[in-house]
Amino acid sequence: MMENLKFGEPILITQPTLPDFSKYCSTISEIWENHWLTNAGPLNKRFEDKVKKYLDVDNIASFVNGHLALEIAIKALGLTGEIITTPFTFISTTASIINCGLKPVFCDINPNDYTIDCEKIESLITDKTSAILAVHVYGNPCDVEKIDKIAKKYNLKVIYDAAHAFGVKINNIAIGNFGDVSMFSLHATKVFNSIEGGLLSFKDKNIKKKLESIRNFGITSQESIDYIGTNAKMNEFQAAMGLCNLENIDENISKRKKIVNTYIEGLKSVKGLYTINMNNANIKRNYSYFPILINSKEFGMSRDLLFDKLKEYNVMTRKYFYPLCNKISAFKSESETPIAKSISDNILVLPLYADLSINDVLQIIDIIKYFNKK
Ligand code: T4K
């Protein structure tokens, strides 16, 4: 152990961004004035308006969390049968399909940015397929043009799990404008948080009422319940956090960018360690995660051993996303997705959050380099 490299306190994979305390207090003081806590309150409405502008989309609805938003999107689009999706994601994506009584059909990913491999989608389409649920994993945009072409050809709906992609743009078009519906997670661990929270942006403004009704038990008016719904309303404390954090979002993303560039520069000479190419000029990124891929032979140590060793030095990394969603014990799937398996077995996500100091990043790089030399 190189004692001088060990952190005194654990460096966590992430740390939520919090607004100035007095700012939050003054925002929530409105709740005491108007005695409105949840169920589409005034702060919630203000938040929806502001975040819609920030995300540069035509239609938006807010939810208590991203996961329920995803389930509600599936229900509101009236999907049935099978949905083609990626196994390389957080379990929420797969669970949303299964919880709605549908079958996830797993498509392999591409090895460059780990999003769904569009060349492999068509061979998985059957007469039961109703949609493609793709994930902009780590904020890397899917090939939205190819997915759109396939969806049009086979008359499928497209949902993007954009949980990681808040603020991302492709060719200056905000990412929530692609597909039929996009889901953004506003969980504490995300680039932008409302404590817990979720958003759906959607193309067809006619589904707005349905989405809002399903999030409120299917109630459409005091005397009519037109859908079997759930309770997925964002409360006023969440909306207040969203409003406050929205003011700092651009500053946070630029701090994250600096951290990511420091990692990339510091790690580029490390043998057997690969990072995603971030140099596509047409993509505006949000720097939500920093994954590294370990080739154990070249690096001299497996991903799992590196994970353990970094922990000894108080660097808390995560194996996002391991296990793969088609290899979990709770859900048996026969599908084989070799590229996703190899990425999932060798990926490690390094600590990244706006307030992580550059000195700490440099120290993490030194620790990784130290193991690389051994
Ligand atoms: N789709 C995708 C692709 C997703 O990644 C997610 C969520 C969803 C859908 C569903 O959206 P939500 O329903 O969550 O809005 C975390 C998050 O809980 C989850 O939101 C996220 N993806 C996933 C990738 O990461 P865990 O199990 O890793 O969380 P946990 O509790 O281990 O926290 C991670 C680290 O963050 C810890 O080191 C501690 C730190 N932390 C966490 C919290 C909550 C803090 O420092 N403070 C905090 O308040 O899932």
Side-chain angles (χ1 to χ4, degrees), residues 12-16 64-68 70 89-90 92-93 135 137 161 163-164 183-190 196-198 289 316 318 320-321:
L12 300 182
I13 181 80
T14 191
Q15 193 181 78
V64 68
N65 59 51
H67 177 79
L68 282 173
L70 212 44
T89 179
F90 191 55
S92 166
T93 319
V135 181
V137 67
D161 180 334
H164 305 167
M183 182 282 282
F184 298 90
S185 164
L186 313 185
H187 183 260
T189 55
K190 296 295 186 288
E196 293 258 8
Y289 292 87
M316 305 302 170
R318 280 295 172 96
Y320 290 139
F321 292 97

Side-chain angles (χ1 to χ4, degrees), residues 347-358:
I347 201 90
L348 201 59
V349 174
L350 299 184
L352 172 58
Y353 47 91
D355 291 331
L356 181 62
S357 78
I358 294 296

Side-chain angles (χ1 to χ4, degrees), residues 247-260:
E247 291 184 15
N248 308 324
I249 178 72
D250 290 332
E251 190 191 333
N252 282 338
I253 291 178
S254 62
K255 282 184 185 168
R256 284 172 171 271
K257 180 177 182 179
K258 211 170 151 202
I259 292 166
V260 166

Side-chain angles (χ1 to χ4, degrees), residues 44 47-52 55 57 59-67 69-70 73 160 162-163 166 181-187 192 194 197-202 211 215 234 246:
N44 183 246
F47 174 60
E48 285 188 345
D49 282 349
K50 287 211 167 158
V51 81
K52 184 176 133 190
L55 287 178
V57 292
N59 304 295
I60 208 135
S62 64
F63 298 84
V64 68
N65 59 51
H67 177 79
L70 212 44
Y160 285 110
F166 190 93
V181 180
S182 296
M183 182 282 282
F184 298 90
S185 164
L186 313 185
H187 183 260
F192 169 72
S194 60
L199 295 169
L200 292 179
S201 63
F202 43 97
L211 291 168
R215 83 174 170 200
M234 173 178 273
L246 206 48

